[in-house]
Amino acid sequence: FRNDALFDERLPKKVSEPSAQRCLEHGVGIIHEGLSKAEVSLVKGLFAKGAIRLLVVTAAFCWELSGLEAHAVILLDVERYDSGEGRMTEYPIADVLQMEGLAALTLQTADGAKRLAPKCLLMCYTPRRDYFVKFL
């Protein structure tokens, strides 16, 4: 998943978390709440310029990714544990739409003639499917 022409081997060392370093070395960026702002900026920059091609992001960062585009976005469940309520709660529909909107990059095929449309895959609990289909 890494574009070696754009990737600098020294960059993973700028991320303090060892598992995030190893992922970056293989072209996979991870953004979560445990990273510093500088580390988040580094990973976003690598994805934006195409040095890494896969980015895994927690839902808390969905509004901080504006300007980034992806060919495919996969939303793995749309619930989180709310400790205040002591139960699982769904993401607000605005957050789901924001995440879905990141799938905006159109890719050209090798022959240059066709374009592949962006895709969003939402994996959710079956009874909620119709609710999300209505909005997406």
Side-chain angles (χ1 to χ4, degrees), residues 7 50 71 98 108 129:
F7 193 83
H71 173 66
Q98 172 68 14
Q108 268 187 311
R129 184 189 65 178

Side-chain angles (χ1 to χ4, degrees), residues 11 51 104 118 124 133:
L11 292 175
C124 67
V133 167

Side-chain angles (χ1 to χ4, degrees), residues 62-63 91-100:
C62 73
W63 292 97
Y91 297 161
I93 192 68
D95 288 0
V96 175
L97 291 172
Q98 172 68 14
M99 291 179 231
E100 181 260 343

Side-chain angles (χ1 to χ4, degrees), residues 61-136:
F61 283 90
C62 73
W63 292 97
E64 296 180 34
L65 297 176
S66 59
L68 290 183
E69 292 181 340
H71 173 66
V73 171
I74 301 172
L75 304 175
L76 184 58
D77 207 359
V78 288
E79 293 182 332
R80 67 172 175 269
Y81 182 75
D82 186 336
S83 59
E85 293 188 28
R87 65 181 182 91
M88 299 297 285
T89 58
E90 282 188 357
Y91 297 161
I93 192 68
D95 288 0
V96 175
L97 291 172
Q98 172 68 14
M99 291 179 231
E100 181 260 343
L102 295 171
L105 184 63
T106 304
L107 300 175
Q108 268 187 311
T109 58
D111 62 7
K114 298 179 183 177
R115 293 190 175 269
L116 303 173
K119 310 223 180 328
C120 179
L121 174 63
L122 171 63
M123 298 180 189
C124 67
Y125 186 56
T126 304
R128 298 299 292 163
R129 184 189 65 178
D130 292 337
Y131 171 78
F132 286 110
V133 167
K134 178 171 55 173
F135 287 101
L136 301 177

